[in-house]
Amino acid sequence: MTSSSTVRLVVSVQGHGFEEKPWEGHLATGLLAEPGVVLVPAATDGIAEATEGIDLLVLPLPLGEGGRVERLVAERVTFCLLPGGKGRRFATIRMANDSRHEPNVGEFTESQLEEALQEHDGDLWAALESLGVIEPGARDAITPELLRRVPEVEAAQRRPEFDEPEDGIVPGDPCDLLPTCRKGTA
């Protein structure tokens, strides 16, 4: 098993309402295929049963070391059976908003995917890994221990940085700081 520190980005597909205990809400592990789409290579029944909604925790790893955790909302879930996958299915989840992170699924062709799925007995995770389009270890990167750290990291991210000079006077013109202010005359 590859250490989660070697994986740069994973997505925890969560049942809605587990902000304080994300380890209890975890349904499946996904990958950011496009800024607004999560790929879930092994779609569990729990995703289909999440009628209260689905949250997507986009987790840059190592957690808390520079990248921002994002909690995004699922808008549409599409399931698909894998050819030759013995009843296995994957899902794509369209998010209501795009992630700020770069997608982490590389490109491949249909024939490459079909061959890799055949070689790996319909296991989409293994097929994508063998094609080199996802980082090794992504499937196992989300652990209960990792998810236990998420609330603390999210709380730290919510604390804004304050930029206030000691004398209380902001150097420069107010128009330098106000995004809707245009210098000059009308």
Side-chain angles (χ1 to χ4, degrees), residues 7-85:
V7 178
R8 294 184 345 190
L9 190 73
V10 288
V11 179
S12 174
V13 179
Q14 300 260 310
H16 178 68
F18 291 91
E19 292 82 4
E20 297 302 315
K21 295 182 178 183
W23 59 94
E24 291 180 7
H26 180 73
L27 301 172
T29 299
L31 302 160
L32 192 62
E34 292 181 4
V37 177
V38 170
L39 167 65
V40 183
T44 63
D45 289 338
I47 295 172
E49 296 165 1
T51 56
E52 297 298 313
I54 294 174
D55 291 335
L56 300 158
L57 280 179
V58 182
L59 303 168
L61 301 176
L63 193 60
E65 294 186 19
R68 292 186 68 85
V69 171
E70 296 176 321
R71 185 176 295 275
L72 302 169
V73 176
E75 191 170 73
R76 178 182 307 261
V77 180
T78 304
F79 292 99
C80 185
L81 284 174
L82 285 160

Side-chain angles (χ1 to χ4, degrees), residues 74-113:
E75 191 170 73
R76 178 182 307 261
V77 180
T78 304
F79 292 99
C80 185
L81 284 174
L82 285 160
K86 299 178 182 165
R88 292 182 189 152
R89 62 185 177 168
F90 71 94
T92 57
I93 303 175
R94 168 115 353 239
M95 296 183 279
N97 300 91
D98 286 354
S99 170
R100 70 176 74 193
H101 296 287
E102 288 292 318
N104 63 334
V105 179
E107 291 186 359
F108 50 88
T109 65
E110 183 178 10
S111 62
Q112 289 172 319
L113 180 60

Side-chain angles (χ1 to χ4, degrees), residues 117-129:
L117 282 169
Q118 218 169 24
E119 287 174 19
H120 295 281
D121 202 27
D123 181 341
L124 184 55
W125 278 107
L128 294 173
E129 209 171 280

